[in-house]
Amino acid sequence: MSDLRPRVQTLAQLIPPLTYDLHKGDCGRVATIGGCEEYTGAPYFVASSALRLGCDIAHVICEKDAATVIKSYSPDVIVNPYLRSVDNQGDRSLDEIEKKITPLLDKLHAVSAGSGLGNDTNIRESVRRAIKAARERSLPIVLDADALALVTESPDIISGYTNAVLTPNPPEFARLSKALGVSTMGKELPVDEAAQVVAQKLGGVTLVRKGKKDIITNGQRVFVCDETGGLRRCGGQGDILSGATLTFLAWGEKYKQGMWKPQSSSKPIEHALIPMHAAYAACMLARHASFLAYEECGRATTSTSVLEQIDIAFDNKFEEILNAVKPSKL
């Protein structure tokens, strides 16, 4: 049965209040695994959207040929050039790459994979190992883009891990559904029901089926995000969504630990439902930022335009609620 949408006041519980008692990292340390010679913008959009929402630290774990390019985009993003393509595998083995990545995972609150990953077999194997290591650490995981191809090939890579959020677009969802034996034909199974079945077959992961309306389900509950978005479908908007989801999942980990007092009187969020609420909040903000960007830029809208609206979208949705708690002046 569909719950349609959570209250914004409920979502706001995941947002850490800004006070003078905070230290670097208290509002989240995240990483995205992706970025290769061909695709350097995607992981930047993930990391930068996380920072603009309020995450303290964002890493990009990428192929070494992508590192310098990504570093040139922003000094705010920490770039770790650990991955190696088949062409560059001579100076670092898969085991050595794994030994580089796993200690970093120990410092994080959430990780994503897939944005700008490409199809190189060496890189994909490193990502498989990173996902396994993240699961062993109970780290929230966001899988998008090329990482979804790994799930299509080997569903066991993420099956049963309820602290994961998958964000397929319609073609990616169709391929995933086919691999799992789920029909997406409207006459046989409506897309919202198909999304539920896919989430069930994957053992209760949270699935975000992006589209005209974003369908968010863990196989048992369903949220539908119909926040008005922009009319442009430029590449990179899904990466911004991944970064926003990553941030809310990281905040969710701190919320579980009781690191702050919730800023609204809403009923506390069940820990098992944090991925669902994090995904909905991210969809709402990404769609609203897209709307704001299109209102300003029209057909000239790019994902950079959307990224520049993230903070405004956040304020529009949450400012009134968060203003109830203000830090004292020094």
Side-chain angles (χ1 to χ4, degrees), residues 126-176:
S126 290
V127 172
R128 287 190 185 93
R129 296 186 184 198
I131 292 172
K132 181 177 182 292
R135 291 187 63 164
E136 291 170 349
R137 289 159 175 75
S138 300
L139 199 62
I141 303 171
V142 182
L143 297 182
D144 186 33
D146 296 318
L148 295 173
L150 299 178
V151 179
T152 299
E153 294 169 5
S154 305
D156 287 347
I157 196 173
I158 204 66
S159 183
Y161 191 61
T162 57
N163 212 9
V165 177
L166 280 58
T167 60
N169 60 26
E172 292 164 342
F173 179 72
R175 290 191 290 269
L176 183 57

Side-chain angles (χ1 to χ4, degrees), residues 71 117 120 125 161 165 182 268 287 305 317:
K71 285 181 179 181
L117 197 64
D120 184 90
E125 176 57 29
Y161 191 61
V165 177
V182 180
R287 292 170 72 99
S305 313
K317 296 300 179 181

Side-chain angles (χ1 to χ4, degrees), residues 213-234:
K213 296 180 180 180
D214 295 332
I215 299 166
I216 303 151
T217 178
N218 60 5
Q220 302 300 319
R221 298 193 179 191
V222 178
F223 292 154
V224 177
C225 183
D226 56 1
E227 177 75 30
T228 302
L231 295 178
R232 288 279 282 123
R233 297 294 178 266
C234 44

Side-chain angles (χ1 to χ4, degrees), residues 300-320:
T301 300
T302 64
S303 288
T304 298
S305 313
V306 178
L307 185 65
E308 290 171 351
Q309 298 290 338
I310 283 287
D311 59 325
I312 300 173
F314 182 90
D315 286 346
N316 286 350
K317 296 300 179 181
F318 292 111
E319 184 177 28
E320 183 177 347

Side-chain angles (χ1 to χ4, degrees), residues 59-239:
H59 295 258
V60 172
I61 303 171
C62 65
E63 215 282 332
K64 73 171 186 177
D65 284 347
T68 301
V69 179
I70 297 171
K71 285 181 179 181
S72 73
Y73 295 152
S74 171
D76 298 313
V77 176
I78 301 172
V79 181
N80 305 96
Y82 296 157
L83 304 180
R84 292 294 184 271
S85 65
V86 170
D87 291 340
N88 288 329
Q89 63 183 327
D91 68 339
R92 184 171 290 170
S93 69
L94 287 170
D95 289 343
E96 290 170 331
I97 294 168
E98 187 174 358
K99 290 178 181 178
K100 282 281 190 179
I101 293 176
T102 50
L104 177 57
L105 297 180
D106 290 328
K107 302 175 183 179
L108 303 178
H109 299 115
V111 64
S112 76
S115 297
L117 197 64
N119 295 315
D120 184 90
T121 55
N122 225 49
I123 294 176
R124 286 158 68 101
E125 176 57 29
S126 290
V127 172
R128 287 190 185 93
R129 296 186 184 198
I131 292 172
K132 181 177 182 292
R135 291 187 63 164
E136 291 170 349
R137 289 159 175 75
S138 300
L139 199 62
I141 303 171
V142 182
L143 297 182
D144 186 33
D146 296 318
L148 295 173
L150 299 178
V151 179
T152 299
E153 294 169 5
S154 305
D156 287 347
I157 196 173
I158 204 66
S159 183
Y161 191 61
T162 57
N163 212 9
V165 177
L166 280 58
T167 60
N169 60 26
E172 292 164 342
F173 179 72
R175 290 191 290 269
L176 183 57
S177 298
K178 183 178 180 180
L180 294 170
V182 180
S183 171
T184 58
M185 298 298 292
K187 293 182 180 179
E188 299 176 31
L189 198 62
V191 68
D192 58 339
E193 294 181 24
Q196 277 190 276
V197 175
V198 168
Q200 290 167 2
K201 283 183 173 288
L202 287 174
V205 303
T206 293
L207 186 80
V208 179
R209 197 281 192 181
K210 298 179 287 192
K212 185 176 181 180
K213 296 180 180 180
D214 295 332
I215 299 166
I216 303 151
T217 178
N218 60 5
Q220 302 300 319
R221 298 193 179 191
V222 178
F223 292 154
V224 177
C225 183
D226 56 1
E227 177 75 30
T228 302
L231 295 178
R232 288 279 282 123
R233 297 294 178 266
C234 44
Q237 292 184 78
D239 304 308

